[in-house]
Amino acid sequence: MNYRESMKPNNDGELVIGGVKASDLSKKYGTPLYVMDVAFIKSVCKAFKYTINKCYEGFGAVAFASKAFSCKAIYAIMKKLDMNIDVVSSGEIYTAISSGFDISKAYFHGNNKLISELEFAVANKIGVVVIDNIEEIDLLDNICKKNGVVQKVNIRTNPGVEAHTHSYIQTAKIDSKFGFSIENGDAMQAILKILQCKNLSLNGVNCHIGSQIFDCNAFRLAVDVMTDFILEISKQTGYNVPELNMGGGFGVHYTKNDPKYTLEDYCNYINIIALALKDAIASKGIHKPRLVVEPGRSIVGESGITLYSVGNIRDIKGIKKYICIDGGMFDNIRPALYQAEYEAVIATKCNAPAEETVSIAGKCCESGDIIIDKINMPKAKRGDLIAVFTTGAYGYSMASNYNRNAIPPVVMVENGKSDYAVKPQTFEDIVRNDNIPDFLK
């Protein structure tokens, strides 16, 4: 199991996260419940920042990809740690601003940013807008002209490097909906267009080759392609690109099939990128760009667990046994969306031997609502507390009210303390925006 110093069983075999027993958390906050280990989040951020400063001589930055987990509390943590962030909607921008985060340290991504979103970002003095479409250049330039500002922009490129991950989370394929292809000349066309705009300032070039990547060679290849592109920009325009943003996508441990990384292992991603970039600068003679990386999952993924209570147990003799929980695809869509796999324990019986193979089933009215299809566990009974690991990324952020279930609250824990980061929804919250038109009354 994915245990560590701040999340492991105590002497009684009960899971303790951030110094708080799982059973105490369930009693205080109920289930289903997202629990986030603040100490782990901080340790990863600090390690990433230290590594990029050490390996790239202080000329780099780490931006938290907040689509992985967005709420006021996480932005407050990023502010304290002097992190950058990336955001992908007006909602994330607003949440970050409302937490007190300095939005000038944010990168605004998106393959189809709405005009209203661009206007909102510019009005709030966003740091960098990452251009993802040729039409977006004129749209943003006109918005900036009306506001009398010059906006820093990057372009998102597609380097054509395919990481070996699920097809849904590969983002640098030639037919991806994201970014300008370098190979067919679209990226250079975008660069030339931006350089002609009076209200846009070319800040850098971005790429993001996918998610849940363990093959570090993919990042080396991407650096090679991106620095070739930077060199070509310099040759054609005489412009030295100030920044190279290599995105994120660093893989994390979900099951025994995945590597179990230490902080040093995680930092090796950045080390490899930095070393590859320095080699390329030396061999190709390009101007040294500022290096930015945008990890999300690797910062919050393993920090999170989700606690569930066991309800009905359905034993189809000789075929399958279902352990039914009080959550499901409304709080974790990833297994249904792209067959994501997880590990879990009975939180008060972590050290007990496995006795049976079961499937952990959600409560939604869908046959596909299975959180874990086959897992070996001690014998479970109604009322037992199940902890599913590595749910800190894309659990809460992709949650929904499907079947009119309430989105679970998020609790942060650190040094024996706990409190809500996101309070629980009520029935009133669920129906708050419902309306019965007069003609139906």
Side-chain angles (χ1 to χ4, degrees), residues 18 33 105 126 180 194 211 229 255 283 330 341 404 417:
L33 179 69
K105 300 187 69 174
I126 196 83
F180 297 91
I194 289 168
S211 297
F229 182 52
T255 72
S283 64
F330 62 91
E341 297 180 339
R404 287 267 149 153
K417 297 179 181 178

Side-chain angles (χ1 to χ4, degrees), residues 58-289:
F59 196 46
V62 181
F64 169 58
S66 59
K67 68 172 185 171
F69 176 61
S70 178
C71 68
K72 286 184 179 182
I74 195 67
Y75 293 124
I77 292 172
M78 296 304 140
K79 179 183 177 181
K80 278 191 175 182
L81 296 177
D82 194 30
M83 292 276 287
N84 290 69
I85 61 171
D86 86 44
V87 290
V88 295
S89 71
S90 293
E92 287 185 357
I93 295 171
Y94 181 84
T95 304
I97 292 171
S98 64
S99 75
F101 188 86
D102 180 1
I103 207 67
S104 71
K105 300 187 69 174
Y107 293 80
F108 183 25
H109 287 264
N111 70 300
N112 184 34
K113 304 178 195 71
L114 307 180
I115 293 175
S116 59
E117 290 182 313
L118 291 170
E119 290 173 338
F120 186 73
V122 170
N124 283 282
K125 298 180 174 61
I126 196 83
V128 177
V129 176
V130 183
I131 301 289
D132 206 300
N133 184 283
I134 198 72
E135 293 181 6
E136 190 178 328
I137 297 172
D138 285 334
L139 285 174
L140 182 59
D141 190 41
N142 289 331
I143 290 168
C144 292
K145 184 178 180 181
K146 291 177 183 176
N147 284 269
V149 299
V150 176
Q151 175 65 54
K152 286 184 179 180
V153 299
N154 287 10
I155 72 160
R156 178 163 176 172
T157 66
N158 183 338
V161 177
E162 293 188 24
H164 297 289
T165 58
H166 192 285
S167 60
Y168 288 7
I169 50 179
Q170 287 180 337
T171 55
K173 298 183 296 181
I174 193 67
D175 61 348
S176 174
K177 75 173 188 176
F178 297 104
F180 297 91
S181 171
I182 293 176
E183 183 181 346
N184 68 6
D186 286 350
M188 184 59 74
Q189 181 186 354
I191 292 291
L192 296 173
K193 188 173 179 65
I194 289 168
L195 290 175
Q196 293 175 349
C197 294
K198 294 182 179 179
N199 291 88
L200 302 182
S201 173
L202 181 61
N203 177 72
V205 291
N206 283 49
C207 74
H208 183 76
I209 60 174
S211 297
Q212 193 59 4
I213 301 167
F214 292 106
D215 178 12
C216 290
N217 192 52
F219 291 104
R220 291 191 186 95
L221 291 172
V223 169
D224 188 46
V225 174
M226 294 303 294
T227 50
D228 279 348
F229 182 52
I230 288 173
L231 179 61
E232 187 61 27
I233 293 170
S234 179
K235 286 180 178 179
Q236 286 200 33
T237 69
Y239 188 80
N240 292 320
V241 175
E243 181 176 282
L244 172 60
N245 187 319
M246 290 300 300
F250 311 153
V252 306
H253 179 91
Y254 282 101
T255 72
K256 62 183 179 181
N257 297 320
D258 299 321
K260 193 171 184 180
Y261 281 176
T262 62
L263 280 182
E264 290 75 19
D265 293 326
Y266 276 130
C267 290
N268 194 45
Y269 285 114
I270 295 176
N271 182 43
I272 285 170
I273 291 170
L275 290 177
L277 179 54
K278 289 198 292 186
D279 287 346
I281 291 167
S283 64
K284 300 175 186 180
I286 63 173
H287 177 80
K288 182 179 180 179

Side-chain angles (χ1 to χ4, degrees), residues 292-359:
V292 180
V293 292
E294 293 179 335
R297 186 195 312 265
S298 55
I299 289 176
V300 295
E302 294 185 49
S303 77
I305 63 170
T306 306
L307 296 177
Y308 301 103
S309 295
V310 174
N312 292 327
I313 297 175
R314 177 176 173 80
D315 191 357
I316 307 171
K317 298 297 182 183
I319 299 177
K320 202 164 194 176
K321 187 172 185 178
Y322 291 99
I323 304 298
C324 300
I325 55 173
D326 54 354
M329 62 195 302
F330 62 91
D331 63 74
N332 188 351
I333 191 63
R334 294 184 70 252
L337 183 61
Y338 36 72
Q339 298 79 56
E341 297 180 339
Y342 291 91
E343 291 178 339
V345 295
I346 298 179
T348 56
K349 304 176 184 177
C350 293
N351 298 334
E355 298 181 54
E356 56 186 4
T357 300
V358 300
S359 293

